[in-house]
Each structure stands twice: as C-alpha cells, then as structure tokens.
Amino acid sequence: MEIQYIFELFGTVVFAISGALAADERQKHDWFGIAFFAFITAIGGGTLRDLCLNSYPLVWIDDMNVIYAVLAGILLAGLFYKYFSRLRTTFMLFDTLGIALFTIVGLEKAQSLGVNNFIAVIMGMFTAVFGGVLRDVLINKTPTIFVEEIYATACIIGGICYLILDSFGVDRNINFIVSGSIIAVIRIITVKFNLSLPKFYK
Amino acid sequence: MEIQYIFELFGTVVFAISGALAADERQKHDWFGIAFFAFITAIGGGTLRDLCLNSYPLVWIDDMNVIYAVLAGILLAGLFYKYFSRLRTTFMLFDTLGIALFTIVGLEKAQSLGVNNFIAVIMGMFTAVFGGVLRDVLINKTPTIFVEEIYATACIIGGICYLILDSFGVDRNINFIVSGSIIAVIRIITVKFNLSLPKFYK
Amino acid sequence: MEIQYIFELFGTVVFAISGALAADERQKHDWFGIAFFAFITAIGGGTLRDLCLNSYPLVWIDDMNVIYAVLAGILLAGLFYKYFSRLRTTFMLFDTLGIALFTIVGLEKAQSLGVNNFIAVIMGMFTAVFGGVLRDVLINKTPTIFVEEIYATACIIGGICYLILDSFGVDRNINFIVSGSIIAVIRIITVKFNLSLPKFYK
C-alpha cells in the first residue's frame, strides 16, 4: 500500500503541473484560475470514480496530503515555468506521466471496492482522463480524448495489461511499473509518430 | 419488472446509437471517441439520477447487460451507418425513442426510491435528457434542450401524464407505453411542424 | 438554524433570478430553458457540495421550499424583467448577493458534516460559484470565475474571515452577516474599479 500511495501523490503533483500549464495554453489566467485548473485536473478523475463507486470520503477531502501535492504542483509550475523552453512538450510529458500513474491507481482502487474487471479498467481510464476532460470543458476546449490522438485507449490497454499480469500472479508493485510504463510508451510513441486509431465511419 | 427492464435495455441501445450518430455530426472521431459518446449518451442521465438519489450501485456498474446494450448500439451504428440515407432524421428518431423510454424508466426508478411526484418527474426528465446534454457539452455544442425546440418539455408532459394515469389505477405496463408514446408524438409533431414554446422574455 | 434557513432560501431566490437573467444574455430561450438555467444556477453548487460530502438527501430533493424558491425567482425575473433598465448591473447585484449568502451557507453545512477548515472554505466557495459554472458551461460561455475578475477569491476571503471570527467566538448570525457582507463588498469594489488578481505567469 505504501508505494501505491506514493504513486498516487506523485501522480497528483504531475497532474497539477499539467493542469497549471494547460490552462495557460489558452488565455492568461490569474493565480486563482491556475490553482483551480490544477486542482480540477488533479482530483477530477478520482472524484468521478469515487462518486460512481460510492466510495466516501473522497480522497482529497479526507487526506490533506493530496491537497499539499496539488499546491506543490502549482508552486513547481510557477517556479519553473520560464525554464520550460518548449511548453507543449513539457506539458505532454507531465500529462503522460499522470495518466500512466492514475490509470493503475484508479484500477486498483476500483478493484479494492469489488467491481468486475471490465468496470475496473473503465474506472482506471476515468481516473486518468476525466480531470483533463473537466479542465478542457471548463475552458471551452475540445477534450484531448476526443481528438485524433491515442490517449484514453492507451489507458485501457495498460489497464488490460495490468489485469493479465495480475492473473499470472505478478507482484503488484512490479505490475504497476510495467503496466504504467506501457501506457506512457504507447502515448509517447503515438504522439511522436502521429499515430491514430482508425475512424469509426469510413 | 421484467418488461420495464427490457424497456430500459432497449432505451440503452437506441441512446447508444443516437450517441454514436450525434458525435459524427460534428467531426470525424475514431472508434474510441464514438464508443465514449455512445456510452455517455446512454448512461449519463441514469447516472446523474442515481447520484442525486444516492442509489448505488449505479446501474451500469452492477449490470453488464447495460454495457452489452451500449456495445450493441455502437455495433449497429457502425454496421448500418451507410444505409441511413438521411442521418439527421435517423438520429432524431432514435433519440426520440430514447427520451420516451428513459423518461418513464427514470420516473419509475425515482418513485421506487420514495421521492415525491414533482421530483420523480424531474428525475424522469433528467434520465432522458442528461446523457445528451453531457455529450453535447463534451463536443462544445449547445445542448438540444436549450435551443428552440420542444424537447425536455415533452418529457415533463409525458411524466405528468404517467402520474395522472397511475393515480387512476392504469396498469403500469400500459401506462408506460401510453405515456412514452405521448412523449414521442409530441416530440415528432413539434419537430415536423417546427413548433416551439413561447420565449420567456418578450 | 432558523435564520440560516431563511438565508439559504433567500440565496436560492436571488440565484434563480441571476440564472434566469444570465441565460438571456446569450440567446433567446423559451420558458423551459430559462427555468432550467435558474434551477441549475440555484441548486448546482449545493448539489456538488452534497455529492462530494455524501450528504443525502440532496437539499432540493428533500425540501420543496427550495423548489418554490427557485420558482419564485423565475417568476420575479419574468415579471420585473422590463423594469430592469440596466440588465448587466442588475444581474451582477443578484449574483453577488447569491455568492455572499451561499458561501457561508455552504461553509456551515460542510462544517456540520465534520470536514476540516480548509475543505469547509473550499466547499463554501463551491456552493457559491459552481451553479454559475454549470450554467455557463451549458451555454458554452467561459465561466466568470475563469475570467479576469475577482470572484471565487472573494468567496474564499469571506470564508476565511468567517472561520477567524468564529474562532473568536463571534455569534454565528452576526458572523454570517459580517462575512457575507465582506464577500459582497469585495466583489462590488473589484467590479467597480476593475481590479484583478495578478497573472500567474509573468
């Protein structure tokens, strides 16, 4: 449990950074706006998961460390912003790290609440992508998951991979790292080579 | 209960189809995007209702048949897409069938959870329209219920009709069909003749 | 408790008015659309708070007076619309009154559910601003809290002020009026003199 918790807090920090950076892509926000977007991005997915699974108290309401992690992310974004020479790439990397970590965190949480494997994978994906969806909807941007890139699909593949390895008895921590890495690698490769899924309607 | 359940699954299929078709109106999505929209459209309204009424587990988390119904809807949309010569009309018909079924399904569910009649009608309407609202918000489209057409109002009228007939002791299944048909007929007539409610501000 | 309840109902009326007026800023809605926006604006924030805190039944589902307050707000907006010579100013005043009342109502509710002070302030702010956020998202408008004005920040300052006065043993009703007034005054001054927070990224 200890390591999962560290993964969760680390995921919260990187998602808060990605939220703070993403907000700026569109328009100049004041510090409250940035803090709000960082917060929404970091806790939105987990909140949706917990609302759907009736898991209370919500993580960020019960555990101030999650709040501190968000604040740390905001601080880091503010401090190092001017050193990020290529903002889009930086944002992409933090976001990728975030979805990789949160997919597995969310999947494990859902499993621990007793849902079936299909729902666990969906919940892992929700945990990973929904904070970003909320953030994008609030700034009137079409969410990344609906544009041409492979994004949520990477989370789903990573989640399925976790379940398969788990069924072979692979250690949870190792499985976490392996499956999370698969998500990150898929995401990075598809962005780098501009790959996309086939269109639904030909 | 048996027939209501079939109505609910059938409503899920038609809403998934309408979601898959609606998404395409705007932009070319990959299969994941289409699946996501179909899913959101089909389960969004019921999820909001159950969150508001504290009814757990959520229908789609507990019952894989709902998931299969969504998948069936996606498959049907993909298979028969090219045979739908007039897409807007087809979408409209599936959507109309969906709101007619889900209004009554949602109203009955809310009643069974012990709310008063006013809230039950509101919950029926939410169940019917909110999946589409979520879908439209996610693709940055103004939700149908806020444009000039009579849409949610048809659901409310049908819901009130159900309550009136119910108070006269009309059989639940017959009542379901009658009140659902009223919703569909109102919707179709108002679209065909381009009717709308009076504006609030003169 | 009595007075808090009256504050809550009064806040619901003014938020319903602000919702009905705000909707019209963008496009001509029919009476259902206006009613829906008034409803969402008035109950959206409290609903999010109660979902996050697992507080059921939701206020508006359990207490028809809240529904009546929304209907009263809609009626007042419809009746007196033509006498509001300067709509934007009128909307701003009702909205300001609404956030001032709901911040403290929401904070007190959260406190009564046993959360820590940080979360109580956040919940007060959510209660105040989230109805408007939902309304704006639904009409594809960038929510007020993300534009340049001081808005949610005023709620947070007022909430912190309430906690400080509370720690000094100030009477709850007096504290409500003082802290609520601080929110309203901050909001009015910043709008009048066009003040804003510093940008996050220089």
Side-chain angles (χ1 to χ4, degrees), chain B:
Chain B
M1 194 57 188
E2 204 49 61
I3 283 197
Q4 321 298 115
Y5 185 58
I6 290 165
F7 282 143
E8 182 165 2
L9 289 184
F10 186 54
T12 305
V13 174
V14 298
F15 255 142
I17 295 175
S18 88
L21 296 180
D24 191 52
E25 274 189 81
R26 298 282 291 188
Q27 51 201 102
K28 292 282 169 201
H29 289 281
D30 62 35
W31 67 263
F32 171 81
I34 297 290
F36 194 91
F37 284 121
F39 192 72
I40 289 281
T41 309
I43 62 108
T47 298
L48 181 74
R49 176 200 62 216
D50 290 347
L51 289 181
C52 284
L53 296 176
N54 200 20
S55 167
Y56 290 97
L58 300 183
V59 177
W60 54 278
I61 287 180
D62 195 43
D63 181 2
M64 283 302 285
N65 289 338
V66 173
I67 304 288
Y68 299 144
V70 173
L71 296 178
I74 297 167
L75 195 66
L76 289 170
L79 287 177
F80 295 108
Y81 177 69
K82 42 192 74 163
Y83 303 106
F84 296 151
S85 53
R86 293 163 63 203
L87 186 61
R88 256 209 78 71
T89 309
T90 311
F91 163 70
M92 211 283 283
L93 287 175
F94 281 111
D95 190 64
T96 298
L97 200 49
I99 62 170
L101 289 163
F102 269 22
T103 299
I104 315 296
V105 166
L107 188 155
E108 289 183 341
K109 176 85 180 274
Q111 271 190 325
S112 76
L113 292 166
V115 303
N116 67 46
N117 283 340
F118 180 90
I119 298 294
V121 170
I122 297 285
M123 286 297 154
M125 184 266 285
F126 268 12
T127 308
V129 307
F130 217 81
V133 169
L134 279 179
R135 178 199 64 214
D136 292 341
V137 165
L138 289 174
I139 52 177
N140 275 326
K141 190 177 137 185
T142 300
T144 314
I145 65 166
F146 304 131
V147 293
E148 73 287 352
E149 292 166 11
I150 289 172
Y151 188 79
T153 313
C155 301
I156 290 174
I157 294 170
I160 292 170
C161 172
Y162 180 92
L163 289 179
I164 292 172
L165 292 179
D166 194 47
S167 73
F168 283 109
V170 173
D171 176 76
R172 260 179 90 207
N173 293 337
I174 293 172
N175 196 352
F176 194 115
I177 292 165
V178 171
S179 302
S181 302
I182 286 173
I183 296 170
V185 167
I186 292 176
R187 176 76 181 133
I188 290 168
I189 288 178
T190 55
V191 168
K192 193 164 176 64
F193 296 102
N194 209 9
L195 304 177
S196 61
L197 291 176
K199 296 284 171 260
F200 187 76
Y201 303 109
K202 303 295 182 291

Side-chain angles (χ1 to χ4, degrees), chain B residues 51 54 118 143 146 152 200-201, chain C residues 20 24 29 32 36 56 81 138:
Chain B
L51 289 181
N54 200 20
F118 180 90
F146 304 131
F200 187 76
Y201 303 109
Chain C
D24 191 52
H29 289 281
F32 172 81
F36 194 91
Y56 289 98
Y81 177 69
L138 289 174

Side-chain angles (χ1 to χ4, degrees), chain A residues 97-129:
Chain A
L97 200 51
I99 62 169
L101 290 162
F102 269 23
T103 298
I104 313 297
V105 165
L107 189 155
E108 290 184 340
K109 176 86 181 273
Q111 271 191 324
S112 76
L113 292 166
V115 303
N116 66 47
N117 283 340
F118 180 90
I119 299 293
V121 171
I122 297 284
M123 286 298 153
M125 184 265 285
F126 268 12
T127 308
V129 307

